[in-house]
C-alpha cells in the first residue's frame, strides 16, 4: 500500500525523518487490519472516558506538602476527582514536581492537567463527526486547566473561558444557598487582596525594624540593649552617653579608637554580606533543561545560550531540528532569592510558569537574607525585593480559594495586585504602587484588576500606618517639605538635571553589563558566588568608612540629600558662601564612591534592589548641582537672571539644593528603570508638594528621552534579553516587512501525526515525536493531527506525554487518533465493555486549534500572541496544513527584529 504523506511535507526531508515516517505509516497500514472482533472495535471507538483514579499511580513523594519548589499552581490535598465531570468546584489533589525536574517521569500521573480536562469535555459521549463537532468544541472549556508544567506558558484564552463557564454554573443556581455562594465568590477577590496587603505590610515592618537595629551594630551598641538602633538609643540627642562605639568598648593600648572602629566596621560588613549570601544560596535550583534560558536571577554574566534554530527555505525560523548534532545545554542553575526579582516577576506575570520562584521557601529565605544584606551597608536597597516578596505572598495566599488556585489567568490578576502592594509599602506610595504594576510588571491589567490593586495598596498602607515602622507616624520612607517655590530660571537647571540623570542611568546599565562580562566571568568568581560577595563587601567596607555620606544607609542618605536646611536634619548646610565649595568636594567624593559601589554590587548573590541606590547616586549629583547654583547666586546676586531672588536673605532663600537632589534622583532612577508616570507620582507622594510636581515630571520626561537615546534597554529589559526570558513585550511595536510565510517552518514528519492511512498510530512513534519536541524545548508545544494534508486536530505535548505514560505496554500499543472509522455503526453496544481504553487518545485532541492563513500579516500574528496569550498558532495554505508557530519561536523572531533595530521607537 502506498505511503501517505501530507501534501505540504517537503521532499527534501532528512533520512531519519523519512525512516520515521515510513515506519509510522507501515504500522498504520497494518493497524487497519488488526480489528478481529466487534469487541475490539467497540473498545476502539468508545467515546466515554471513565472516572480515573490517578492518585494510586502517584509516587508517595509527589504528595508532600507544598514548599518553595511546589509548582506555581500547586494545590493542597483533596479527594479524588472524576475527570468526566465538568463541575469545576471540586477540589483537586496535589501535584508537585520532583526537585529540579522539568519532565514528569514515565508512568507518573499528570493529574489536573489541561489535557485530562479536555479529555473529560470531549469524552462525554461525543465524537468528532457530523454535527457533534460544534458541541464537542464548546465542551473543551467546561473544565479548568489547573496545572502547568515547568517553563510552560499560560493559555489565557482557555483559562478565561473556563472561568466564564464556572461563573455561569454558579449563577445558574437561584436558591438562597446559590445566591450566598455567588456573593461569596464575588467577595473572594476583595478578601484575598486585603489579606495580601496586610501580610505584606507586616513583613515590611519586620524587615524595616530588624535591619535598622542590625545596621548600627557595625558602629557600636546601646548600653540599654544591644538590639536598640542608634536613633532609638539616643532619642535624637547629639551627644549620647548610652551609645558606645567599638573603639570605646575595645580600647587597645597604642591603637587609636578610629582604627578599632574601622576594623569592626569592615568585619561586620563582610560578615553580614556573607551570611546573606549563604542564605541566598540555600535556594539554589538546578534544572536539567534544553531551554535557551541562562538563569532566573539577576546575573548579567550568565552564559547566554545560543538559539538553536533552523532556517527554512524561506528564511523563516523554526525550532531545533532533532537531527542536529549540537549538544544539549548544560544544567541551568539559578537562585530565586538573589537580586530584586522584578524582571522575573514581570516574566511570570506575562504567563511563564516557574516552579518555586514564588514559593514559601523563597519568601522566608529572601526576607531573612534581605535584612542582612541591607544591614551590611552594601550599596543596595530593599524596595525591589519587596516586589518579589509581596508577589510570593500573593501566590501563596491564592491557595486559600480554588477560584484563583485552579486558574492560572485569574491567579495572575492577584499577583499583579501583590506586586503593586510591594512598591506601596516600600515607598509608602499606594498610588505609585498601582501605577508601577500597570507600567512595569503587569501583562494583563483589566479595569477590575486596577480597582482591586488600588484596594490592596490601600490595605497595605493602612496596615503600615498602624504598625508605624519608622517611628514618625508616617508611611513614607522619608518625608520632606519644601516651603519655598521654585524660580523660573531653575527650570533650565531641572531640564539639565533630567539630561544628566538619564545619561547617568544609561551609563550605569552599560557599566553593569561590562562589569558582568569581564570580572564576573572570571572562573573563580563564576564558580564561587560567595567569593564575589566577600570581595564586594570588603571593598565597600574599606571605601565607605571614611566618608559620612557613603557610610549612611541609602534611605537615610537620600533623606539628608533631599532635606532642606530649615529642617536642621541635613549636615549639608553651609553657613556662608565660602563653605559651599568644601561641601561640594565632600559630595563629589561620595558620588564617585557610590557610583562605583552600586555598579559592582548589582547582580551579586544577595537580595538587592536598584531603586533607592540609583536615586542616591542621582541625589548626590543633584545636590552638587544645587550647591553649584547656590554658589553662583551667592557670587552674582545682582545678575539679571537671579532678579527674582530675595536680596540679603539666607543661602536657601533663593535656591534649595534638596529640590535639585530629589529631581536628579528621580531622573537617574528613570534612566535605570525607564519608569515615568510612576516615578513622578512617587516623588510627589514623598514630598506632598504640589508646587514641585512640574519639575519632577519634566525631569523624568527628559531623562527617559535621554536614556532611550543612549541605551534603548532598561536594566530589567537587559536582564530579560541577556537571560533569554520568553517575554513577548506587549508594549513593543515591531516593524514587520514580511507575512507569516517568512517564519513558517518546514513541515517535517516528526512534527505532525499523519492519520491518512489509518487512525491508529504506534505509541513508540508518538514517543519519538514527543522527544523531538522536548529536545527543542517545547514541552508546552503540540503535534498537529493531519489527514490528507488537512488539519483535523492538535494534541498538546503535555497531554500526549500523560497519555503515553498511562500505557502498560508502550512498545506494542497502537493509539487511536480519530474515531470516524466507517464500519463502527454496526457494532452493538455492550455496557461491560464501555470502560476507558488507555490507547484511545481522541479525548486529548483539540479539534479546533487556532489557525491562520500563511499569507496573514505579521501584525495579526503578533496581536494573536500578545492579546490572546496563545501558546502556538497553526498555519494553513489553501486550507491545508503548512506548519506551526510556537510562541517561543515567535519571541526569538521578535528578538532578532530588536537586534536589527526593526522596532518603532515611538
Amino acid at each position: 500500500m502506498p505511503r501517505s504523506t501530507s501534501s505540504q511535507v517537503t521532499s527534501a526531508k532528512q533520512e531519519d525523518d523519512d525512516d520515521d515516517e515510513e515506519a509510522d505509516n507501515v504500522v498504520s497500514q497494518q493497524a487497519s487490519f488488526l480489528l478481529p472482533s466487534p469487541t475490539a472495535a467497540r473498545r476502539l471507538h468508545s467515546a466515554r472516558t471513565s472516572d480515573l483514579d490517578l492518585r494510586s499511580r502517584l509516587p508517595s513523594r509527589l504528595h508532600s506538602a507544598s514548599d518553595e519548589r511546589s509548582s506555581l499552581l500547586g494545590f493542597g490535598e483533596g479527594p479524588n476527582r472524576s475527570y468526566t465531570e465538568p463541575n469545576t468546584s471540586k477540589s483537586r489533589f496535589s501535584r508537585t514536581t520532583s526537585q529540579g525536574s522539568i519532565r514528569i517521569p514515565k508512568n507518573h500521573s499528570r493529574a489536573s492537567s489541561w489535557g485530562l480536562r479536555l479529555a473529560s469535555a470531549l469524552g462525554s459521549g461525543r465524537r468528532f463527526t457530523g454535527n457533534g463537532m460544534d458541541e464537542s468544541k464548546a465542551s473543551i472549556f467546561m473544565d479548568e486547566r489547573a496545572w502547568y508544567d515547568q517553563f510552560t506558558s499560560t493559555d489565557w484564552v482557555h483559562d478565561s473561558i473556563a472561568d466564564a463557564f464556572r461563573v455561569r454554573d454558579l449563577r445558574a443556581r437561584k436558591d438562597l444557598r446559590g445566591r450566598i455562594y455567588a456573593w461569596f465568590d464575588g467577595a473572594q477577590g476583595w478578601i484575598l487582596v486585603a489579606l495580601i496587603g496586610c501580610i505584606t505590610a507586616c513583613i515590611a515592618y519586620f524587615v524595616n525594624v530588624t535591619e535598622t537595629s542590625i545596621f548600627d551594630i557595625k558602629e557600636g551598641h546601646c548600653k540599654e540593649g544591644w538590639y536598640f538602633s542608634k536613633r532609638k538609643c539616643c532619642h535624637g540627642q547629639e551627644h549620647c552617653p548610652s551609645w558606645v562605639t567599638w573603639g570605646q568598648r575595645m580600647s587597645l593600648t597604642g591603637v587609636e579608637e578610629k582604627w578599632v572602629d574601622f576594623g569592626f566596621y569592615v568585619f561586620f560588613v563582610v560578615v553580614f554580606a556573607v551570611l546573606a549570601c549563604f542564605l541566598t544560596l540555600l535556594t539554589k535550583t538546578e534544572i536539567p533543561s534544553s531551554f535557551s534560558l541562562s538563569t532566573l536571577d539577576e546575573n548579567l554574566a550568565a552564559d547566554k545560550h545560543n538559539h538553536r534554530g533552523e532556517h527554512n527555505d524561506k528564511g523563516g525560523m523554526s525550532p531545533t531540528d532533532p537531527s542536529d548534532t549540537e549538544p544539549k545545554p548544560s544544567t541551568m542553575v539559578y537562585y530565586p532569592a538573589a537580586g530584586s526579582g522584578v524582571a522575573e516577576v514581570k516574566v511570570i506575570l506575562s504567563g511563564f510558569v516557574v516552579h518555586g520562584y514564588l514559593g514559601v521557601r523563597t519568601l522566608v529565605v529572601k526576607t531573612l537574607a534581605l535584612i542582612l544584606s541591607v544591614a551590611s551597608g552594601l550599596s543596595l536597597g530593599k524596595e525591589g525585593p519587596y516586589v518579589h516578596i509581596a508577589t510570593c505572598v500573593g501566590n501563596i495566599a491564592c491557595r486559600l480559594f480554588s477560584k484563583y488556585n485552579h486558574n492560572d489567568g485569574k491567579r495572575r490578576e492577584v499577583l499583579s495586585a501583590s506586586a503593586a502592594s510591594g512598591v506601596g509599602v516600600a515607598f509608602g506610595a499606594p498610588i505609585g504602587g498601582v501605577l508601577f504594576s500597570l507600567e512595569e510588571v503587569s501583562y494583563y491589567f483589566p479595569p477590575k484588576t486596577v480597582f482591586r490593586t488600588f484596594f490592596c495598596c490601600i490595605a497595605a498602607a493602612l496596615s503600615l500606618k498602624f504598625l508605624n515602622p519608622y517611628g514618625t507616624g508616617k508611611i513614607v520612607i522619608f518625608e520632606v517639605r519644601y516651603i519655598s517655590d521654585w524660580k523660573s530660571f531653575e527650570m533650565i537647571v531641572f531640564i539639565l538635571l533630567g539630561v544628566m540623570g538619564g545619561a547617568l542611568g544609561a551609563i550605569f546599565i552599560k557599566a553593569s553589563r561590562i562589569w558582568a562580562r569581564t570580572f564576573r566571568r572570571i572562573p573563580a568568581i563564576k564558580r564561587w558566588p560567595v567569593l564575589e560577595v566577600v570581595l564586594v563587601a570588603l571593598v565597600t567596607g574599606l571605601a565607605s568608612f571614611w566618608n559620612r555620606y557613603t557610610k549612611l544607609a541609602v534611605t537615610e542618605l537620600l533623606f539628608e540629600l533631599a532635606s532642606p536646611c530649615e529642617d536642621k536634619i541635613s549636615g549639608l548646610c553651609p553657613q556662608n558662601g565660602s563653605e559651599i565649595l568644601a561641601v561640594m568636594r565632600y559630595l563629589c567624593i561620595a558620588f564617585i564612591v557610590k557610583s562605583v559601589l552600586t555598579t559592582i554590587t548589582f547582580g551579586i548573590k544577595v537580595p538587592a534592589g536598584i531603586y533607592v541606590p540609583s536615586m542616591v547616586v542621582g541625589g548626590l549629583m543633584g545636590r552638587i548641582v544645587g550647591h553649584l547654583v547656590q554658589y553662583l547666586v551667592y557670587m552674582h546676586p545682582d545678575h539679571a537672571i537671579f532678579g527674582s531672588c530675595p536680596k540679603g536673605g539666607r543661602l536657601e532663600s533663593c535656591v534649595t539644593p534638596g529640590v535639585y537632589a530629589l529631581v536628579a534622583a528621580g531622573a537617574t532612577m528613570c534612566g535605570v528603570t525607564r519608569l515615568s508616570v510612576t516615578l513622578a507620582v512617587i516623588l510627589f507622594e514623598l514630598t506632598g508638594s504640589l508646587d514641585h510636581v512640574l519639575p519632577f515630571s519634566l525631569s523624568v520626561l527628559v531623562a527617559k528621552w535621554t536614556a532611550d537615546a543612549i541605551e534603548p534597554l532598561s536594566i530589567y529589559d537587559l536582564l530579560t534579553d541577556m537571560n533569554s526570558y520568553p517575554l513577548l513585550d506587549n508594549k513593543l511595536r515591531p516593524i514587520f516587512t514580511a507575512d507569516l510565510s517568512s517564519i513558517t517552518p518546514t513541515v517535517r514528519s516528526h512534527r505532525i501525526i499523519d492519520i491518512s492511512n489509518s487512525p491508529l498510530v504506534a505509541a513508540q512513534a508518538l514517543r519519538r515525536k514527543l522527544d523531538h519536541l522536548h529536545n527543542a524545548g517545547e514541552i508546552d508545544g503540540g503535534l498537529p493531527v493531519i489527514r490528507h494534508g488537512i488539519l483535523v486536530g492538535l494534541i498538546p505535548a503535555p497531554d500526549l506525554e500523560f497519555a503515553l505514560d498511562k500505557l502498560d505496554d508502550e512498545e506494542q500499543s497502537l493509539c487511536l487518533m480519530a474515531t470516524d472509522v466507517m464500519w463502527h455503526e454496526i457494532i452493538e453496544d455492550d455496557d461491560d465493555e464501555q470502560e476507558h481504553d488507555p490507547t484511545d487518545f481522541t479525548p486529548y485532541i483539540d479539534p479546533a486549534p487556532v489557525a491562520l492563513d500563511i499569507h496573514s500579516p505579521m501584525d495579526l500574528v503578533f496581536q494573536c500572541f500578545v492579546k490572546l496569550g496563545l501558546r502556538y498558532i497553526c498555519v494553513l495554505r489553501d486550507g491545508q496544513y503548512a506548519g506551526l508557530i510556537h510562541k517561543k519561536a515567535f519571541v526569538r523572531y521578535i528578538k532578532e527584529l530588536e537586534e536589527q533595530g526593526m522596532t518603532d521607537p515611538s
Side-chain angles (χ1 to χ4, degrees):
M1 184 177 284
R3 196 174 63 194
S4 169
T5 59
S6 170
S7 61
Q8 298 302 321
V9 176
T10 178
S11 60
K13 297 185 179 82
Q14 301 174 3
E15 263 184 36
D16 58 332
D17 299 339
D18 293 331
D19 294 341
D20 288 345
E21 183 184 9
E22 184 176 356
D24 296 349
N25 286 311
V26 169
V27 172
S28 298
Q29 295 169 21
Q30 294 174 350
S32 61
F33 300 99
L34 296 179
L35 301 175
S37 67
T39 301
R42 185 163 49 248
R43 292 177 60 222
L44 179 67
H45 298 288
S46 174
R48 183 179 65 85
T49 305
S50 62
D51 294 350
L52 303 178
D53 182 11
L54 300 178
R55 178 181 290 276
S56 60
R57 301 191 59 154
L58 279 173
S60 58
R61 64 185 176 87
L62 293 181
H63 298 288
S64 58
S66 298
D67 56 15
E68 71 93 20
R69 297 191 188 280
S70 300
S71 74
L72 182 65
L73 298 174
F75 314 119
E77 294 293 333
N80 294 353
R81 180 177 184 273
S82 169
Y83 288 84
T84 61
E85 299 174 1
N87 185 1
T88 60
S89 62
K90 293 188 178 182
S91 59
R92 278 100 169 146
F93 49 79
S94 175
R95 271 295 287 118
T96 56
T97 62
S98 57
Q99 196 172 45
S101 172
I102 290 181
R103 290 188 55 195
I104 305 301
K106 186 177 179 180
N107 294 329
H108 285 189
S109 169
R110 191 175 291 273
S112 294
S113 71
W114 173 77
L116 214 43
R117 255 169 291 289
L118 180 64
S120 306
L122 296 181
S124 302
R126 301 179 178 90
R127 293 182 175 86
F128 296 177
T129 57
N131 298 329
M133 174 64 79
D134 294 337
E135 186 179 4
S136 297
K137 186 167 69 173
S139 67
I140 293 177
F141 310 105
M142 287 297 294
D143 281 333
E144 310 171 68
R145 285 166 303 136
W147 188 86
Y148 290 84
D149 212 338
Q150 178 78 305
F151 299 156
T152 57
S153 55
T154 301
D155 199 326
W156 299 87
V157 174
H158 285 77
D159 279 347
S160 177
I161 297 177
D163 186 68
F165 274 101
R166 182 193 63 81
V167 174
R168 185 198 65 182
D169 294 341
L170 189 64
R171 297 296 190 272
R173 296 187 57 176
K174 300 301 182 181
D175 58 335
L176 179 60
R177 179 176 295 183
R179 293 182 179 180
I180 293 176
Y181 284 159
W183 175 86
F184 180 69
D185 181 77
Q188 285 179 7
W190 302 102
I191 296 172
L192 193 58
V193 295
L195 182 63
I196 292 169
C198 294
I199 296 176
T200 302
C202 292
I203 294 176
Y205 170 79
F206 172 72
V207 172
N208 290 333
V209 172
T210 308
E211 65 91 3
T212 302
S213 299
I214 300 178
F215 186 91
D216 291 333
I217 291 180
K218 300 193 300 296
E219 300 182 31
H221 67 93
C222 183
K223 292 181 180 179
E224 299 175 4
W226 65 269
Y227 48 87
F228 286 161
S229 64
K230 188 175 182 179
R231 176 180 297 180
K232 189 174 183 179
C233 181
C234 299
H235 304 288
Q237 301 176 6
E238 187 175 351
H239 301 286
C240 180
S242 298
W243 183 260
V244 180
T245 64
W246 293 113
Q248 296 170 348
R249 181 76 175 180
M250 305 287 183
S251 57
L252 301 176
T253 306
V255 180
E256 297 183 16
E257 287 185 4
K258 67 175 182 179
W259 292 107
V260 177
D261 290 336
F262 174 66
F264 272 93
Y265 181 85
V266 175
F267 170 77
F268 279 116
V269 169
V270 175
V271 168
F272 290 158
V274 170
L275 289 177
C277 182
F278 280 138
L279 282 175
T280 302
L281 296 182
L282 292 178
T283 61
K284 180 180 180 180
T285 305
E286 297 184 358
I287 302 267
S289 72
S290 58
F291 296 96
S292 60
L293 295 177
S294 301
T295 179
L296 277 163
D297 53 40
E298 292 178 356
N299 184 7
L300 290 173
D303 292 328
K304 185 175 180 180
H305 291 160
N306 293 326
H307 296 310
R308 300 184 299 146
E310 62 182 9
H311 293 268
N312 61 10
D313 53 352
K314 299 178 183 178
M317 192 170 187
S318 69
T320 305
D321 190 332
S323 63
D324 291 345
T325 57
E326 290 187 32
K328 294 182 181 180
S330 58
T331 300
M332 184 180 72
V333 179
Y334 64 94
Y335 305 87
S340 66
V342 174
E344 289 73 23
V345 167
K346 182 177 180 180
V347 173
I348 290 174
L349 289 181
S350 73
F352 192 56
V353 177
V354 183
H355 296 169
Y357 200 87
L358 302 178
V360 176
R361 179 179 293 184
T362 302
L363 172 63
V364 174
V365 171
K366 188 153 193 171
T367 301
L368 298 178
L370 178 62
I371 294 172
L372 292 171
S373 64
V374 175
S376 66
L378 295 174
S379 186
L380 48 83
K382 55 181 180 289
E383 289 71 25
Y386 275 166
V387 176
H388 187 189
I389 290 173
T391 311
C392 290
V393 173
N395 178 65
I396 297 167
C398 282
R399 300 171 187 173
L400 297 175
F401 301 110
S402 60
K403 172 182 176 180
Y404 299 97
N405 192 29
H406 297 159
N407 191 297
D408 206 53
K410 297 289 292 182
R411 172 182 290 254
R412 274 160 174 75
E413 295 180 18
V414 175
L415 296 185
S416 297
S418 304
S421 68
V423 173
V425 299
F427 291 99
I431 301 176
V434 177
L435 293 175
F436 170 81
S437 183
L438 175 63
E439 185 177 358
E440 179 64 23
V441 296
S442 293
Y443 192 83
Y444 176 65
F445 211 63
K448 180 176 63 176
T449 304
V450 175
F451 191 33
R452 286 185 178 172
T453 301
F454 180 58
F455 179 69
C456 183
C457 292
I458 292 298
L462 286 175
S463 302
L464 203 64
K465 174 75 173 180
F466 291 125
L467 292 172
N468 192 20
Y470 308 110
T472 59
K474 308 293 183 181
I475 62 173
V476 293
I477 53 176
F478 58 83
E479 185 178 29
V480 292
R481 297 289 180 181
Y482 302 121
I483 300 175
S484 60
D485 198 359
W486 53 278
K487 309 298 186 296
S488 57
F489 74 89
E490 291 182 295
M491 185 58 67
I492 301 175
V493 185
F494 293 149
I495 294 175
L496 178 62
L497 285 175
V499 174
M500 296 172 63
L504 188 61
I507 292 172
F508 167 78
I509 295 173
K510 292 182 179 294
S512 297
R513 179 191 299 163
I514 294 172
W515 175 258
R517 289 178 172 178
T518 54
F519 176 79
R520 203 165 287 156
R521 285 189 175 178
I522 297 174
I525 299 297
K526 190 175 181 180
R527 184 174 181 182
W528 295 295
V530 70
L531 178 59
E532 181 186 10
V533 174
V534 171
L535 294 177
V536 171
L538 187 62
V539 171
T540 300
L542 295 175
S544 300
F545 180 81
W546 307 105
N547 189 299
R548 178 176 182 271
Y549 300 109
T550 57
K551 194 176 180 181
L552 283 174
V554 287
T555 304
E556 294 183 16
L557 175 56
L558 186 58
F559 183 32
E560 282 208 16
L561 292 172
S563 297
C565 289
E566 284 87 348
D567 295 340
K568 296 182 180 179
I569 295 175
S570 175
L572 300 171
C573 296
Q575 300 302 316
N576 51 66
S578 60
E579 297 179 3
I580 295 179
L581 294 180
V583 172
M584 290 176 60
R585 284 194 296 268
Y586 203 62
L587 286 174
C588 285
I589 296 174
F591 171 72
I592 295 173
V593 172
K594 274 295 182 182
S595 299
V596 173
L597 292 180
T598 303
T599 302
I600 66 175
T601 303
F602 181 78
I604 63 175
K605 292 297 181 285
V606 296
I610 194 60
Y611 290 156
V612 173
S614 64
M615 293 181 73
V616 164
V617 174
L620 287 166
M621 178 186 67
R623 188 82 186 198
I624 294 170
V625 174
H627 283 297
L628 178 61
V629 175
Q630 195 177 55
Y631 184 74
L632 292 176
V633 174
Y634 172 76
M635 295 299 296
H636 308 281
D638 299 327
H639 198 280
I641 197 173
F642 304 131
S644 58
C645 295
K647 307 300 181 182
R650 295 178 296 104
L651 289 176
E652 284 205 350
S653 61
C654 181
V655 176
T656 305
V659 174
Y660 292 74
L662 207 54
V663 167
T668 305
M669 183 176 169
C670 175
V672 174
T673 64
R674 307 302 158 85
L675 293 172
S676 55
V677 181
T678 302
L679 261 178
V681 172
I682 288 177
L683 293 176
F684 163 69
E685 291 186 271
L686 288 178
T687 60
S689 175
L690 287 172
D691 295 333
H692 293 85
V693 170
L694 184 57
F696 294 153
S697 304
L698 186 61
S699 65
V700 167
L701 282 174
V702 175
K704 183 168 175 58
W705 288 333
T706 304
D708 287 340
I710 299 175
E711 171 58 60
L713 300 178
S714 71
I715 190 65
Y716 297 122
D717 293 335
L718 180 65
L719 288 168
T720 302
D721 182 63
M722 295 193 68
N723 294 330
S724 303
Y725 294 155
L727 175 65
L728 190 58
D729 194 350
N730 56 356
K731 303 180 182 68
L732 189 69
R733 187 180 178 183
I735 300 175
F736 299 108
T737 57
D739 57 17
L740 183 55
S741 61
S742 63
I743 65 169
T744 302
T746 303
V747 179
R748 297 185 180 276
S749 61
H750 60 263
R751 288 280 180 171
I752 63 173
I753 301 175
D754 192 346
I755 59 171
S756 299
N757 288 341
S758 170
L760 293 178
V761 181
Q764 284 186 315
L766 294 176
R767 176 66 70 177
R768 287 194 299 270
K769 298 175 187 292
L770 182 66
D771 289 339
H772 285 308
L773 289 183
H774 286 167
N775 291 335
E778 296 184 19
I779 60 174
D780 56 348
L783 291 174
V785 182
I786 310 299
R787 181 188 291 111
H788 301 298
I790 305 298
L791 177 67
V792 295
L794 184 144
I795 182 167
D799 308 313
L800 177 59
E801 183 183 12
F802 166 67
L804 290 174
D805 288 345
K806 291 200 314 175
L807 298 177
D808 295 327
D809 186 6
E810 184 175 311
E811 296 182 358
Q812 303 298 326
S813 296
L814 298 176
C815 304
L816 179 65
M817 306 304 296
T819 59
D820 53 352
V821 178
M822 298 301 296
W823 38 263
H824 75 277
E825 296 179 356
I826 65 174
I827 302 174
E828 297 179 358
D829 291 335
D830 186 353
D831 293 339
D832 295 337
E833 298 292 340
Q834 286 295 317
E835 294 184 2
H836 173 70
D837 187 347
T839 61
D840 182 6
F841 282 14
T842 56
Y844 306 105
I845 297 176
D846 181 358
V850 176
L852 296 176
D853 187 79
I854 197 168
H855 299 298
S856 299
M858 291 298 295
D859 294 280
L860 174 61
V861 181
F862 179 78
Q863 294 299 330
C864 286
F865 276 118
V866 170
K867 300 295 178 61
L868 298 181
L870 302 176
R871 287 178 172 177
Y872 34 67
I873 295 177
C874 296
V875 182
L876 304 180
R877 179 190 287 113
D878 299 328
Q880 293 188 320
Y881 178 75
L884 182 143
I885 305 296
H886 193 276
K887 181 179 180 179
K888 293 173 184 175
F890 188 73
V891 170
R892 290 199 295 268
Y893 172 70
I894 296 298
K895 293 297 181 183
E896 290 179 357
L897 292 181
E898 290 183 30
E899 293 173 0
Q900 298 170 6
M902 298 295 291
T903 55
D904 187 357
S906 62

